[in-house]
Amino acid sequence: MISAPKLYRLAALTAVLVLSGAPASAADLAKTLRVAFPVAETGFDPAPVGDIYSQYVNRAIFDALYKYDYLARPYKIVPNVAVGMPEISPDGKTWTIKIKPGIYFADDAAFKGKKRELTAADYVYSWKRVIDPKMRSNNIQVFDSKLLGAETVVAAAKATGKFDYDAPIEGLQAIDRYTVRLKLNFPSYELMADLTTSPTAAVAREVIEAYGDENGWTMANPVGTGPYRLKEWRRGQKIVLETSPGFRGEPFPESVAPEDRALMAKMRGKKLAMIDRIEISIIEESNPRLLAFQNGELDYLTVPSDLVSKVLGPDNKLKPEYAKQGIVLARGVQPAISYTYFNMEDPVVGGYDKGKIALRRAISMSYNVDEEIRVLRQGQGEPATQPIPPNVGGYDPKIKGNAKYDVAGAKALLDKFGYIDRDGDGWRELPDGKPLKLTIGSDPSALSRQYDELWQRSLAAIGIRVEFVKQKWPDLLKMARYGQLQMWFLGNINTTPEGFGFMSLLYGPHSGFANLARFNLPEFNQLYEKAQKLPDGAERTQLFAKMSALVNAYAPWNLNAYRYENVLVQPWVLGFKHTVFDWHPWKYYDIDVGRRNGAAK
């Protein structure tokens, strides 16, 4: 599960400088894909990284065992570097996976001049990193409690402060050079989808030991077996990838679906990856990002939610001035949820007694989600009803669990539990008479300032003061993971159709990792552990409904919105097929150089 932050600020001048650095010649642009991220990355180490934009880069550098067929709909998992699908025992607890021989890591000094082949041991080592407590992996739920015998090694690491990577784990073994064997404590029905994600990709132990920081992270030195490698990185400004010379190469996938006929006519037989260079500019403000696309300086763009009316008409169709240029619009519901969490360990808004629950519920009731969707999102969303969004397994359309906008009801609830204005200054105090003031994390973008204003108006209407902790998004994420934020509005997006991971965001043992709210309710935890052992289906969905009811009752989150996305694609981009689960599948793209150069004249 990946955090997907709201957008934050970069001066327009900076955006122009990043994007308008003129190349030496037209040839320099021939196979360069130009992309914008709306927020700064945190780094490029698969195990600890939890933000979606760093993960997009990791997907291009590192190899997971499996992947989703780029063209297949419904989505279908296929081998990536695995020889075939896993051999799974009848009880679902033993998985045997064979890896293709002859796949090599990109050249790096850590290998001392030798070619370094990918082996089963690399996956064993990489997955141990995910469960290493020191790593504080945001992706711990992938293997947490699943691997037979891992508990002993993890407990020793917690006691000593050091994970023993050479200690054997019965449930995680390389039984020969090219074979991984997993033994699970229970059948894991979402593991297959997890094995397509970059947190389960392979890293080389030599690289980690050569470049790891005090946490064991190698954020600035990614070395993988994927199609691209990191060429340049200016933190928070620009990321440049280039093709890895030793990449094994793959054919563009095949499809006989009628809707893919035109795409296949242009792409059939091409060898991946076709783009030589990917330039990713960090453009945090909405207007310069859209302007860059309009000027042909970006090859595709997810339309900023606050600028949708500049691109789409009232019918959500592309405006004529875009359509006549051959620009393509792709539109869908993101497998994502936006919400505001409460730190359940905070002395003001945290806790499980009735008074604290009443405070959180009143705060949520004061917030006008419909106004957020209508004004800030310009209609591109719908109210969230449960922690699991549409388009993924486990979503139940019958659940209507979001707090209803009700200022009068919120005031009455606060009055009932002693949150009243004792000194007549117009602001409520805590029941013990101490000042009541909230703090909410917020990045310094123009869009986030609009959210600040909505929150400020909402809380003022019920007599509660609020201040905003203004930091860049990576800094807010670090603060959140250490429990240093009282509240924060953000989102999470999935990279697979499996929805179980959204519930891990509220599972008690994941506090400080994926669970930023630090919600730790035994009843919820027990339901989570029971659901974890079930396949997607009616029984698990019923458990999710009970878990959603607990979230609604205890209010660790104020559910905000499910989001619609609108993607604009320049006419010279080839190989594009929209998927809400991967915004940046770069290895499948090509550029019609003649058309792009013609448009630039």
Side-chain angles (χ1 to χ4, degrees):
M1 182 58 50
I2 312 297
S3 296
K6 297 191 185 294
L7 312 182
Y8 60 82
R9 184 180 184 189
L10 182 68
L13 175 61
T14 304
V16 172
L17 288 173
V18 170
L19 286 166
S20 62
S25 67
D28 291 332
L29 284 175
K31 293 292 183 179
T32 297
L33 190 71
R34 299 157 307 181
V35 183
F37 284 175
V39 298
E41 70 298 327
T42 58
F44 312 116
D45 185 337
V49 162
D51 70 286
I52 190 67
Y53 294 98
S54 298
Q55 292 284 25
Y56 286 134
V57 175
N58 286 342
R59 288 167 83 106
I61 295 174
F62 299 95
D63 273 312
L65 286 167
Y66 296 93
K67 62 186 177 183
Y68 281 89
D69 186 312
Y70 178 58
L71 300 179
R73 303 292 186 274
Y75 296 96
K76 180 177 71 173
I77 295 175
V78 295
N80 183 32
V81 299
V83 172
M85 301 303 286
E87 298 175 12
I88 303 176
S89 63
D91 65 1
K93 295 182 181 181
T94 301
W95 293 42
T96 305
I97 304 169
K98 293 188 178 297
I99 299 167
K100 298 172 185 175
I103 295 173
Y104 294 89
F105 285 92
D107 293 339
D108 188 84
F111 302 135
K112 304 186 185 304
K114 298 178 181 178
K115 288 189 71 176
R116 173 61 159 80
E117 188 181 22
L118 175 70
T119 69
D122 294 316
Y123 284 98
V124 170
Y125 173 74
S126 301
W127 298 349
K128 285 182 177 180
R129 294 184 75 227
V130 175
I131 62 173
D132 180 350
K134 187 178 179 180
M135 293 293 295
R136 297 186 60 82
S137 175
N138 199 59
N139 311 291
I140 191 170
Q141 67 272 11
V142 173
F143 297 112
D144 186 33
S145 76
K146 296 177 186 177
L147 301 174
L148 184 64
E151 297 87 349
T152 302
V153 179
V154 171
K158 289 179 178 177
T160 64
K162 185 176 181 180
F163 192 97
D164 184 356
Y165 282 89
D166 296 312
I169 295 176
E170 185 177 353
L172 180 56
Q173 299 180 46
I175 60 174
D176 62 37
R177 184 170 179 81
Y178 302 113
T179 308
V180 178
R181 178 161 294 164
L182 292 167
K183 292 184 178 180
L184 307 178
N185 289 315
F186 52 84
S188 176
Y189 296 96
E190 72 277 4
L191 181 59
M192 193 70 245
D194 288 333
L195 293 181
T196 70
T197 64
S198 62
T200 67
V203 299
R205 185 169 184 170
E206 303 96 306
V207 172
I208 305 302
E209 292 177 349
Y211 304 119
D213 62 14
E214 65 277 7
N215 296 309
W217 299 350
T218 55
M219 293 297 202
N221 299 92
V223 181
T225 59
Y228 291 97
R229 62 183 182 182
L230 184 65
K231 173 67 174 177
E232 178 186 346
W233 182 24
R234 289 181 292 181
R235 289 177 184 268
Q237 298 180 53
K238 191 172 186 178
I239 305 161
V240 178
L241 305 178
E242 65 178 8
T243 51
S244 181
F247 180 61
R248 58 195 178 274
E250 301 171 357
F252 191 86
E254 285 286 334
S255 173
V256 296
E259 63 269 22
D260 295 330
R261 199 168 292 145
L263 184 151
M264 291 307 303
K266 294 180 179 179
M267 304 302 293
R268 180 173 279 116
K270 290 189 175 185
K271 188 176 181 181
L272 310 182
M274 295 157 281
I275 301 295
D276 300 314
R277 180 181 171 94
I278 301 168
E279 294 182 354
I280 306 160
S281 300
I282 313 304
I283 310 176
E284 297 152 312
E285 289 289 8
S286 301
N287 278 304
R289 202 158 65 250
L290 179 58
L291 180 62
F293 180 84
Q294 292 170 335
N295 291 340
E297 296 168 337
L298 294 174
D299 294 311
Y300 60 92
L301 175 73
T302 299
V303 181
S305 61
D306 54 333
L307 298 180
V308 168
S309 62
K310 293 181 179 293
V311 176
L312 304 185
D315 59 356
N316 287 319
K317 300 289 181 63
L318 203 58
K319 287 188 171 181
E321 57 265 37
Y322 288 92
K324 70 181 181 182
Q325 298 177 54
I327 292 169
V328 173
L329 169 68
R331 177 174 165 81
V333 179
Q334 291 181 353
I337 183 170
S338 64
Y339 56 95
T340 304
Y341 79 75
F342 299 92
N343 182 346
M344 296 295 286
E345 296 176 358
D346 181 83
V348 175
V349 300
Y352 298 84
D353 63 75
K354 291 182 179 180
K356 298 295 189 179
I357 294 170
L359 175 60
R360 293 192 298 271
R361 290 184 63 82
I363 291 169
S364 298
M365 291 162 64
S366 79
Y367 185 80
N368 193 338
V369 170
D370 290 334
E371 181 179 346
E372 173 191 323
I373 293 170
R374 185 181 69 256
V375 179
L376 276 62
R377 297 188 180 279
Q378 298 191 4
Q380 303 304 300
E382 59 189 74
T385 62
Q386 58 202 280
I388 298 177
N391 293 351
V392 298
Y395 172 75
D396 185 349
K398 298 188 296 295
I399 294 176
K400 307 295 180 185
N402 52 321
K404 302 302 181 185
Y405 176 58
D406 182 359
V407 172
K411 288 180 176 180
L413 190 59
L414 292 170
D415 291 344
K416 178 180 179 180
F417 284 89
Y419 297 93
I420 58 177
D421 176 15
R422 288 175 168 78
D423 58 12
D425 66 352
W427 300 107
R428 295 177 184 270
E429 280 78 44
L430 293 168
D432 63 4
K434 293 179 181 178
L436 170 57
K437 183 172 68 176
L438 305 180
T439 58
I440 302 178
S442 171
D443 57 64
S445 70
L447 182 57
S448 283
R449 286 196 297 274
Q450 294 180 56
Y451 278 89
D452 295 348
E453 291 168 5
L454 178 55
W455 264 115
Q456 200 159 33
R457 289 198 310 274
S458 299
L459 292 168
I462 60 171
I464 295 179
R465 286 173 287 199
V466 62
E467 292 182 356
F468 297 93
V469 180
K470 303 299 284 189
Q471 296 286 342
K472 289 203 169 190
W473 196 87
D475 297 320
L476 289 171
L477 179 60
K478 183 177 180 180
M479 294 174 69
R481 293 181 71 179
Y482 282 96
Q484 296 169 346
L485 293 177
Q486 186 183 75
M487 296 169 61
W488 190 20
F489 53 92
L490 76 165
N492 285 84
I493 187 168
N494 222 18
T495 57
T496 78
E498 170 56 60
F500 184 81
F502 286 96
M503 287 303 188
S504 76
L505 301 174
L506 291 155
Y507 179 53
H510 294 165
S511 296
F513 300 92
N515 181 357
L516 300 181
R518 290 172 140 70
F519 183 57
N520 192 7
L521 184 71
E523 186 179 354
F524 183 96
N525 296 342
Q526 291 165 9
L527 291 169
Y528 175 93
E529 290 160 4
K530 186 175 180 181
Q532 192 178 34
K533 301 172 184 178
L534 296 173
D536 184 20
E539 185 178 359
R540 194 177 74 164
T541 299
Q542 289 175 2
L543 293 179
F544 284 167
K546 293 179 181 179
M547 295 161 76
S548 294
L550 291 173
V551 173
N552 186 46
Y554 285 88
W557 285 4
N558 173 39
L559 299 173
N560 290 10
Y562 302 136
R563 308 177 303 208
Y564 304 158
E565 67 180 24
N566 298 280
V567 183
L568 302 179
V569 186
Q570 299 284 11
W572 53 78
V573 176
L574 306 178
F576 175 86
K577 183 169 184 177
H578 183 234
T579 167
V580 294
F581 296 105
D582 190 352
W583 292 352
H584 302 286
W586 296 315
K587 72 177 182 179
Y588 298 106
Y589 292 166
D590 199 359
I591 298 292
D592 184 333
V593 176
R595 187 163 187 178
R596 178 158 75 179
N597 290 347
K601 293 177 181 176

